Amino acid sequence: MTDRFNKALTRSDLRGERRTGKVRDVYALPGGRTALVATDRLSAFDVVLPTPIPGKGRLLTSIAEFWLRWIESRGLCRTHLISTDAADLPDSAFGPGSTPRERLAGRVTIGRSCRVIPIECVIRGYLEGTGWADYQQCGSVCGVRLPEGLRRADRLPEPIFTPASKAAEGEHDENIDVDRAARIIGVDRLAWLERVSLAIYSEAAAYALDRGIIIADTKFEFGIPIDDPEGEPVLIDEALTPDSSRFWPADRYEPGRAQPSFDKQYVREHLQTLIDRGLWDRRPPGPTLPEDVVAGTLERYRRSAELLTG
């Protein structure tokens, strides 16, 4: 574990204004651009865990780049993506003590700077997670009424749009209904986000299923380009990765139970055993992960990358 930990990138340092997300470090670049560096940090239950997953950041970057270019090529939506080549970072981003450019290879996404729309666009095609918990209590998910008698992991009659409010750093995102989301960003903008998010999910889910992966649910983030404040939103951050989606192996799908996965659900299940035993209360700092969980998580991410982009 020590050797792997040493090879992991848990923090990046570049010159310029910096914001730190759960997984990515975000830097402002000259010329209306932004650099996102995907580290090997892992978050679960909205807590950044102390154990990194070495190499995860590179896998996330490759998967996200694939999907962003795929989405643009089909005319589904514009994205913020400009480049994923660390050589395109300006020399002004580096100085004494900065992370060397070679350490950032495969981890950098350079995109257009955007004003983030404060709504996460969650699309659910199957009944799992907080959606399953809500359905058991009231027969609906974020205000969307569903048919009676659905089982855990059942495919929904059609995908549903269930927005979430973006929380401040260190706080939890909150599932909200469409009425509240409309009050936050406006009816017309919410309708556009719903239409585009559902279109992306539907086409991506069909593509992935042909390659052996069920995309059970996912979330998208959008922003307004700083250089085009009156234009349509663009897709930002990542898209359709194991960090932002539930990926299930299609050949092992069996509704009525929890599904095996290609995403960080494997880590969540390990953590849930600690929660059930009273060993963790879902608050920072998170528990360290044993080596078999680290290796198993990385293998799941790697396998999803092979199936989707190979």
Side-chain angles (χ1 to χ4, degrees):
M1 177 69 79
T2 300
D3 183 55
R4 287 187 176 186
F5 190 97
N6 290 338
K7 293 179 180 178
L9 183 72
T10 57
R11 173 190 169 93
S12 66
D13 287 288
L14 296 175
R15 283 182 168 177
E17 179 186 346
R18 166 185 169 163
R19 291 182 289 109
T20 301
K22 295 183 180 74
V23 173
R24 288 170 176 79
D25 298 331
V26 183
Y27 299 89
L29 298 178
R33 297 177 301 159
T34 298
L36 293 81
V37 178
T39 71
D40 294 328
R41 299 191 297 262
L42 179 71
S43 71
F45 299 112
D46 283 330
V47 173
V48 177
L49 303 176
T51 312
I53 309 295
K56 180 175 81 79
R58 291 192 178 93
L59 290 169
L60 287 180
T61 301
S62 67
I63 295 171
E65 179 190 17
F66 166 81
W67 281 119
L68 292 171
R69 297 198 186 283
W70 186 92
I71 288 164
E72 286 192 333
S73 72
R74 280 155 178 75
L76 295 169
C77 179
R78 296 185 304 160
T79 80
H80 72 136
L81 178 62
I82 296 173
S83 170
T84 57
D85 190 345
D88 291 332
L89 289 169
D91 291 340
S92 60
F94 298 90
S98 295
T99 305
R101 194 186 296 268
E102 57 269 23
R103 280 279 278 160
L104 300 178
R107 298 179 177 277
V108 175
T109 300
I110 300 172
R112 299 168 70 187
S113 295
C114 295
R115 176 174 57 82
V116 178
I117 297 173
I119 291 292
E120 288 194 337
C121 299
V122 181
I123 305 296
R124 303 174 190 269
Y126 293 75
L127 193 56
E128 186 53 286
T130 58
W132 169 239
D134 289 350
Y135 176 78
Q136 289 178 288
Q137 291 181 354
C138 60
S140 62
V141 178
C142 298
V144 180
R145 194 72 187 174
L146 296 176
E148 295 181 359
L150 294 179
R151 299 163 296 175
R152 182 178 185 177
D154 261 336
R155 183 174 183 175
L156 300 179
E158 59 183 12
I160 60 174
F161 174 78
T162 60
S165 62
K166 284 186 63 62
E169 185 176 338
E171 299 180 6
H172 297 281
D173 298 334
E174 179 185 0
N175 292 334
I176 58 177
D177 59 28
V178 293
D179 290 338
R180 183 173 167 191
R183 290 195 296 271
I184 296 172
I185 64 172
V187 173
D188 291 343
R189 174 140 292 165
L190 183 67
W192 188 96
L193 293 178
E194 179 176 5
R195 175 177 59 80
V196 171
S197 298
L198 285 168
I200 295 171
Y201 172 81
S202 294
E203 291 206 25
Y207 171 92
L209 189 58
D210 283 344
R211 285 148 185 82
I213 291 181
I214 292 171
I215 304 178
D217 54 45
T218 194
K219 63 181 179 181
F220 303 116
E221 295 189 48
F222 294 85
I224 305 298
I226 300 300
D227 60 5
D228 186 17
E230 302 303 319
E232 285 187 339
V234 301
L235 186 60
I236 63 172
D237 196 35
E238 62 180 342
L240 298 157
T241 73
D243 264 17
S244 64
S245 316
R246 293 182 200 274
F247 288 169
W248 298 338
D251 61 353
R252 299 174 64 189
Y253 174 61
E254 184 181 329
R257 60 172 177 83
Q259 305 298 305
S261 71
F262 288 126
D263 55 61
K264 63 182 179 181
Q265 183 61 28
Y266 181 64
V267 174
R268 292 192 195 99
E269 291 169 359
H270 166 74
L271 295 175
Q272 188 63 52
T273 63
L274 302 182
I275 294 168
D276 293 343
R277 293 162 57 195
L279 300 177
W280 186 44
D281 59 4
R282 297 177 59 152
R283 292 187 294 183
T288 58
L289 300 177
E291 187 163 3
D292 64 313
V293 173
V294 172
T297 301
L298 187 61
E299 178 56 31
R300 284 160 172 78
Y301 277 55
R302 182 180 292 116
R303 182 58 177 153
S304 67
E306 291 172 351
L307 290 172
L308 290 172
T309 69

